[in-house]
Amino acid sequence: MLRQRFIMDTTGLTDIQARQSLGQDTICAGMKDILDLIADARLHLQISCYVPFPSVYNELQEFTNNNNCDPEVVAKIDTWLVKKTPDRYEVQIPSRIFHEYVSYMRERINKGMNVAEEAIREASRECLIQNSQAETKPMVEKDIDREVVGSVVNKFRNKYRSALRYGILDSAPDIDVLLLAKELDAAVVAKDYGIQKWAEQLGVRFVPAETFPRMLQEYLRHTSR
């Protein structure tokens, strides 16, 4: 069997469907099982799984901290994922410009969302003051923000992100995953449609996060025979 390389996006280890396919309900347990499969694949099949450093590696560290994962999960990340910084200058696409453009787009998208959110809140407060018995704005702000305006803003965020962020690369870790895959002639493991779309454009093999554990299990099953 030819030696294979995979570049792990954060979603490659945190995807809900992937962990459910392994019979796990929590992020930590799912990550642990996937990392165990990666360990077996490396030891028995010489399959290498990389993580872009520091971008995606730092995201994984944040996930483990925010979800109070056992230190064993962090140790498995450090042991079985090869940390490598993509070469943003030598890969045969204008990678440095591309990288800066993605960071710029993410910043502008978030700024636009914040401006729109503030406009929603301000308009909502003015309307509510005019139609209530409150004498001053602070009398209605607290409860209204929590019960009414907050709900509207949350719905707006979801629709805004769906409209503007779906199918585009909007973070530095996304582009690092693609650059490293291009550099090492490796496959990308992710759940992100933006990464999938650009992987196709760059001629990079893409493996959906939800199927990756089953792929490793299939490799290992035939090896054991």
Side-chain angles (χ1 to χ4, degrees):
M1 174 178 180
L2 293 176
R3 181 177 179 181
Q4 295 201 58
R5 293 172 171 173
F6 295 93
I7 312 301
M8 306 299 297
D9 177 51
T10 301
T11 56
L13 292 177
T14 61
D15 178 58
I16 294 176
Q17 289 179 295
R19 66 174 179 263
Q20 288 178 343
S21 71
L22 296 170
Q24 299 294 354
D25 297 323
T26 67
I27 287 180
C28 298
M31 290 177 70
K32 181 178 180 297
D33 280 4
I34 295 172
L35 288 164
D36 282 340
L37 285 172
I38 290 173
D40 288 340
R42 183 172 179 179
L43 292 174
H44 300 293
L45 301 172
Q46 289 76 54
I47 289 176
S48 298
C49 291
Y50 291 75
V51 58
F53 182 86
S55 56
V56 177
Y57 176 79
N58 287 344
E59 279 193 345
L60 289 173
Q61 294 294 319
E62 289 180 11
F63 262 94
T64 58
N65 290 334
N66 293 339
N67 290 277
N68 298 315
C69 292
D70 191 278
E72 182 183 5
V73 176
V74 178
K76 288 178 183 293
I77 291 173
D78 287 331
T79 302
W80 300 112
L81 298 183
V82 182
K83 298 185 288 294
K84 188 179 187 307
T85 303
D87 190 336
R88 300 183 185 124
Y89 294 97
E90 297 299 326
V91 177
Q92 295 303 304
I93 58 173
S95 53
R96 187 65 185 180
I97 295 173
F98 201 16
H99 193 273
E100 291 175 354
Y101 171 76
V102 170
S103 297
Y104 172 79
M105 282 295 296
R106 176 64 172 267
E107 180 182 355
R108 293 302 297 270
I109 288 172
N110 287 338
K111 282 184 177 179
M113 184 171 66
N114 292 337
V115 169
E117 284 181 9
E118 186 55 37
I120 292 172
R121 292 184 184 278
E122 186 64 26
S124 300
R125 290 166 187 160
E126 292 296 334
C127 291
L128 289 165
I129 288 170
Q130 293 180 19
N131 290 280
S132 71
Q133 302 301 314
E135 297 178 0
T136 62
K137 186 180 295 187
M139 292 178 63
V140 298
E141 280 188 359
K142 186 175 181 180
D143 290 339
I144 295 302
D145 266 350
R146 182 179 66 252
E147 297 176 8
V148 180
V149 181
S151 175
V152 172
V153 168
N154 285 336
K155 291 178 182 178
F156 159 75
R157 286 176 182 168
N158 291 333
K159 291 181 179 180
Y160 183 95
R161 287 168 177 160
S162 176
L164 287 181
R165 294 175 62 182
Y166 182 73
I168 69 170
L169 298 175
D170 64 351
S171 72
D174 288 354
I175 187 63
D176 279 347
V177 165
L178 289 168
L179 292 178
L180 190 56
K182 189 72 174 176
E183 178 184 344
L184 299 178
D185 192 22
V188 169
V189 180
K191 180 68 173 182
D192 191 297
Y193 176 67
I195 293 178
Q196 179 181 356
K197 177 181 176 181
W198 280 90
E200 293 171 358
Q201 293 292 325
L202 295 173
V204 171
R205 182 183 170 206
F206 180 84
V207 179
E210 62 269 24
T211 67
F212 185 61
R214 293 197 297 272
M215 177 188 292
L216 293 183
Q217 288 173 330
E218 184 69 6
Y219 284 157
L220 291 165
R221 183 172 68 85
H222 283 276
T223 302
S224 65
R225 290 179 179 177

